[in-house]
């Protein structure tokens, strides 16, 4: 087909090979960016859910610990003691008291015998020891139970409120009274993550 001046029209409807390759490269880059953003968002959401699940689990454990501690008792032979200790430069406090249960659970207490409970950190684990028979002279497998409450624990710190002097102290000696309140702090360290701390306040003798 000729133009009025007799020249031929040139086709401008098609794309050259270079233009097609450039378009494909741009689409590939955009797709990679969108996919990468989606993966990052998904990973962030999954990490957030995992962190929330871990925190919820440890908070449940700390609440059960707080319930047991709030009902704790003492005797002259088995005093209520909180010791300030460290492992590898991090807090690894020890708390010992008398309780009326053997299992750390939400179910009703099945046995009414008094047991000796000890909370402490061993390496990266939060441990609950229970001495079931208070009348034995030595601890054996039959009288000493051990329960792992949490792992990846970097620090286990407890502070005690002295209501007589109205101060918080780092340890509670074997004296005739029991502290009015406690602050439990558990710090966790997971790979490729910053340490994070969960806290639980405990009022004693108010239940």
């Amino acid at each position: 087909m000729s133009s009025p001046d007799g020249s031929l029209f040139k086709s401008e409807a098609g794309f050259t090979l270079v233009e097609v390759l450039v378009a494909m490269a741009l689409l590939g880059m955009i797709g990679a960016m969108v996919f990468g953003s989606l993966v990052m968002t998904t990973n962030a959401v999954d990490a957030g859910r995992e962190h929330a699940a871990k925190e919820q689990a440890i908070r449940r454990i700390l609440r059960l610990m707080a319930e047991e501690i709030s009902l704790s008792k003492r005797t002259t032979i088995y005093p209520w003691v909180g010791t300030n200790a460290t492992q590898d430069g991090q807090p690894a406090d020890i708390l010992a008291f008398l309780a009326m249960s053997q299992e750390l659970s939400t179910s009703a207490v099945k046995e009414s015998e008094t047991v000796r409970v000890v909370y402490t950190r061993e390496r990266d684990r939060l441990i609950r020891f229970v001495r079931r028979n208070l009348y034995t002279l030595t601890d054996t497998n039959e009288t000493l139970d051990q329960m792992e409450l949490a792992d990846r624990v970097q620090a286990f710190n407890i502070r005690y409120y002295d209501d007589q002097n109205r101060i918080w102290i780092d340890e509670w000696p074997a004296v005739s009274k029991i502290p009015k309140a406690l602050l439990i702090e558990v710090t966790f360290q997971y790979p490729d993550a910053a340490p994070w701390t969960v806290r639980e306040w405990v009022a004693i003798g108010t239940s």
Side-chain angles (χ1 to χ4, degrees):
M1 184 177 179
S2 301
S3 63
D5 59 1
S7 62
L8 297 175
F9 282 118
K10 294 182 178 179
S11 176
E12 298 179 356
F15 296 96
T16 65
L17 179 59
V18 174
E19 292 173 332
V20 172
L21 292 176
V22 171
M24 291 179 63
L26 290 174
L27 289 174
M29 292 176 60
I30 294 173
M33 293 174 61
V34 172
F35 180 76
S37 177
L38 180 61
V39 170
M40 291 179 61
T41 302
T42 302
N43 290 340
V45 171
D46 291 343
R49 289 176 178 173
E50 183 179 1
H51 180 83
K54 291 175 181 177
E55 183 169 350
Q56 184 178 7
I58 189 59
R59 285 194 180 280
R60 177 178 177 275
I61 291 173
L62 289 183
R63 285 194 296 269
L64 294 173
M65 290 173 59
E67 181 180 351
E68 184 173 53
I69 295 171
S70 67
L71 299 174
S72 61
K73 303 179 181 298
R74 60 165 298 280
T75 64
T76 303
I77 299 176
Y78 298 102
W80 203 105
V81 181
T83 304
N84 190 38
T86 60
Q87 290 181 19
D88 301 324
Q90 295 291 337
D93 291 356
I94 302 171
L95 175 62
F97 56 89
L98 293 182
M100 298 299 293
S101 64
Q102 290 191 10
E103 299 299 331
L104 190 66
S105 65
T106 55
S107 60
V109 176
K110 297 180 180 180
E111 300 184 25
S112 59
E113 66 177 338
T114 302
V115 296
R116 182 71 165 173
V117 177
V118 177
Y119 289 113
T120 188
R121 174 175 75 88
E122 287 192 350
R123 297 182 297 277
D124 66 341
R125 301 179 303 158
L126 178 60
I127 303 293
R128 176 182 183 262
F129 292 99
V130 176
R131 185 176 180 183
R132 291 181 285 118
N133 191 343
L134 299 180
Y135 301 101
T136 58
L137 298 178
T138 59
D139 292 328
T140 65
N141 293 334
E142 290 74 26
T143 64
L144 190 65
D145 293 338
Q146 176 179 330
M147 177 187 297
E148 180 178 325
L149 303 178
D151 61 359
R152 307 285 185 174
V153 176
Q154 183 187 58
F156 176 57
N157 185 57
I158 304 178
R159 302 201 71 205
Y160 310 87
Y161 183 67
D162 182 354
D163 60 326
Q164 181 176 353
N165 297 310
R166 297 182 179 180
I167 58 173
W168 286 90
I169 56 180
D170 291 326
E171 62 181 7
W172 195 264
V175 294
S176 59
K177 63 178 182 177
I178 295 177
K180 196 71 174 179
L182 274 75
L183 172 60
I184 303 174
E185 297 179 319
V186 183
T187 301
F188 296 88
Q189 176 65 75
Y190 287 86
D192 302 324
W196 54 282
T197 301
V198 181
R199 296 176 176 86
E200 183 74 22
W201 297 90
V202 184
I204 300 179
T206 58
S207 301

